[in-house]
Each structure stands twice: as C-alpha cells, then as structure tokens.
Amino acid sequence: MTERKVLIVYAHQEPKSLNGSLKTIAVEELSELYHPEQFNYGVEAWEACKNGSLSEDLIKEQRKVKEADLVIFQFPLYWFSMPAIMKGWMDRVLVQGFAHDFPQCYDSGLLKNKLALLSFTTGGGKEMYSDEGVSGDIRYLLWPMQHGIMHFCGFSVLAPQICFAPEYATEEERVQMLVSWGERLKTIWEEKPINCAVDGYFK
Ligand code: FAD
Ligand code: ZN
C-alpha cells in the first residue's frame, strides 16, 4: 500500500467537543492505516530556505501542507463559514507564491494533486440548510470555501463531511456521526473529487 500523508487543520476550543471527537476519529483511523514516512530534514530545510522571508511558524505550516496528500479541515460552522482562527490560517499559510501564483490558480493552482476535505458541524439542522430551508442550500456556503479557497489553490475537493446539529442530537445519533466518519475514512483514497467548478455547482 502506498504511504500517504494527511494534514488535519483543526479549530475548536474544547477537546471534548464533537469537533474534537471527529478529529480524534480521523487521527486514529488514518494512522492505523498509514504510517508516516520518515521526515527528510535536508529536503525540508532546502524548501524552507526558498521561502526564507516568511516567519518560521508559517514555513512549518507550509511544509505540512506540502507533505500532505490530503488536508482535512475540521471545524464548527461559524457565521456560515469557518472560525476566524482557521480563516487566519488560510490567509497566512496559503499565500501567493506558495499556494497560487496568477495565472496558476484553480486547476493549475500550486497545490494541485492534493486533496482537500471540509469536515464540519453546524448548529442548524439539515432541514434548515435545504433549498427551501430558512438558511438556504448548504452549497451556497460551501462555494466560497471549496471553490474560492481550496480549488483556487489547486486542491481537488472531496465531498464535505457535515454533522448537522450535534448539540440537538441524541447520544446515539452523535455516536453514529462519529462512526460514519470513521467508516468513510477507511476508503477515503478511493473517492473521486466532486466537480466544484462553476458548472458543477450552478448547473
Ligand atoms: P459540541 O457542543 O461540542 O458537541 C455536542 C455534544 O457532543 C456535546 O454534548 C459533546 O459532549 C458531545 N460529544 C463530544 N464527543 C462525543 C463523543 N465521542 N460521543 C458522543 N457525544 C460526544 N451554526 C450554524 O448552523 N450556522 C452558523 O452560521 C453558526 N454560527 C456560529 C457562530 C458562532 C460564533 C458560534 C459560537 C456558533 C455558531 N454556530 C452556527 C453553531 C455552531 O456551529 C455549533 O455550535 C457547533 O457546530 C457544534 O459543534 P461542537 O463540536 O462545538 O459541538
Ligand atoms: Zn471549484
């Protein structure tokens, strides 16, 4: 089996949150299946050198992205988007010259050949995020994150993992949310990316 690397970018204040549990499931599931390759300091240092003008913490994050075959973003939905701290990560890490460099964007973005997946929880129920629901189709809020950020940087986007309203779910339903996430991760490398271009979204 080919060894692959996954980077989980996780934003939640509380480790005991459902987001914390979803992250733990992913770490357990993915590290059981795939053992990380050895870190090659020489190669990494050389890479970091080329981006010498950036601060060390950003270089570290970029190195993780560079090594990853799949980046999972795990977060609670805040104001129809990701939490500000995660948005800050995007602003600071996915910079021009690293993630994109016009005209190298979308299918020719610099992070092409990598996969990205949004895994998030909501406060609102599934019915609220339907076409007729008060919040509107969930695809409207996926659009800026999936197309405007991930695809723009070249990532191929896997279908999102959405846990609707865990706070209002029963314990059993919450356990089921975690189980289905773990199950999905077992075959994650077989998944085909979604069509997240304009024609795929708004046809
Ligand atoms: P938690 O409250 O941590 O989880 C729910 C329950 O699951 C908890 O009781 C926890 O103990 C339990 N749990 C944890 N692990 C396990 C386990 N292993 N097994 C069983 N149970 C477990 N929502 C929207 O829909 N749209 C918005 O625009 C929006 N904007 C927001 C903006 C802000 C600033 C804030 C603070 C919230 C917003 N919300 C919004 C709500 C937010 O998305 C939800 O509160 C959040 O997604 C819930 O996820 P959580 O991980 O915090 O849940
Ligand atoms: Zn797209």
Side-chain angles (χ1 to χ4, degrees):
M1 194 187 294
T2 358
E3 282 178 347
R4 303 201 225 204
K5 291 196 174 185
V6 180
L7 171 63
I8 302 175
V9 182
Y10 160 71
H12 200 289
Q13 306 86 345
E14 172 54 62
K16 289 188 183 135
S17 65
L18 198 81
N19 277 274
S21 298
L22 288 159
K23 186 258 295 160
T24 303
I25 293 272
V27 170
E28 287 171 0
E29 190 59 52
L30 295 165
S31 38
E32 262 168 43
L33 288 172
Y34 309 101
H35 305 284
E37 283 166 19
Q38 233 171 351
F39 180 68
N40 184 330
Y41 182 72
V43 171
E44 300 316 317
W46 177 65
E47 293 297 341
C49 227
K50 286 197 292 192
N51 298 310
S53 56
L54 292 169
S55 75
E56 188 55 36
D57 64 323
L58 299 192
I59 290 168
K60 269 192 197 149
E61 292 305 295
Q62 291 184 340
R63 190 183 293 157
K64 293 183 212 165
V65 173
K66 217 172 227 180
E67 287 189 354
D69 300 294
L70 164 66
V71 183
I72 298 174
F73 296 94
Q74 180 66 57
F75 58 94
L77 189 70
Y78 279 8
W79 298 122
F80 274 24
S81 187
M82 63 191 81
I85 195 165
M86 187 176 274
K87 179 61 164 39
W89 186 94
M90 308 271 170
D91 294 353
R92 300 179 75 227
V93 177
L94 303 177
V95 294
Q96 183 165 8
F98 171 73
H100 58 89
D101 210 351
F102 198 76
Q104 290 162 297
C105 55
Y106 293 115
D107 290 347
S108 46
L110 299 178
L111 302 179
K112 61 175 182 284
N113 304 322
K114 295 182 187 297
L115 298 165
L117 190 167
L118 301 177
S119 174
F120 62 95
T121 57
T122 68
K126 193 171 184 180
E127 62 299 334
M128 290 172 74
Y129 286 102
S130 65
D131 231 353
E132 289 78 36
V134 278
S135 299
D137 195 319
I138 194 85
R139 287 155 58 92
Y140 291 119
L141 39 138
L142 290 170
W143 173 247
M145 296 189 274
Q146 291 187 327
H147 188 67
I149 304 175
M150 333 255 88
H151 191 180
F152 186 82
C153 295
F155 284 108
S156 296
V157 179
L158 295 182
Q161 182 77 15
I162 308 172
C163 294
F164 288 101
E167 291 149 298
Y168 307 99
T170 63
E171 178 73 7
E172 244 169 65
E173 288 167 332
R174 281 199 292 264
V175 168
Q176 193 45 51
M177 289 174 187
L178 295 161
V179 168
S180 32
W181 177 223
E183 284 302 310
R184 180 179 173 193
L185 289 170
K186 289 186 202 301
T187 54
I188 198 78
W189 304 113
E190 291 159 29
E191 288 190 18
K192 295 273 165 286
I194 59 165
N195 179 0
C196 100
V198 178
D199 62 335
Y201 260 88
F202 299 111
K203 62 188 167 197

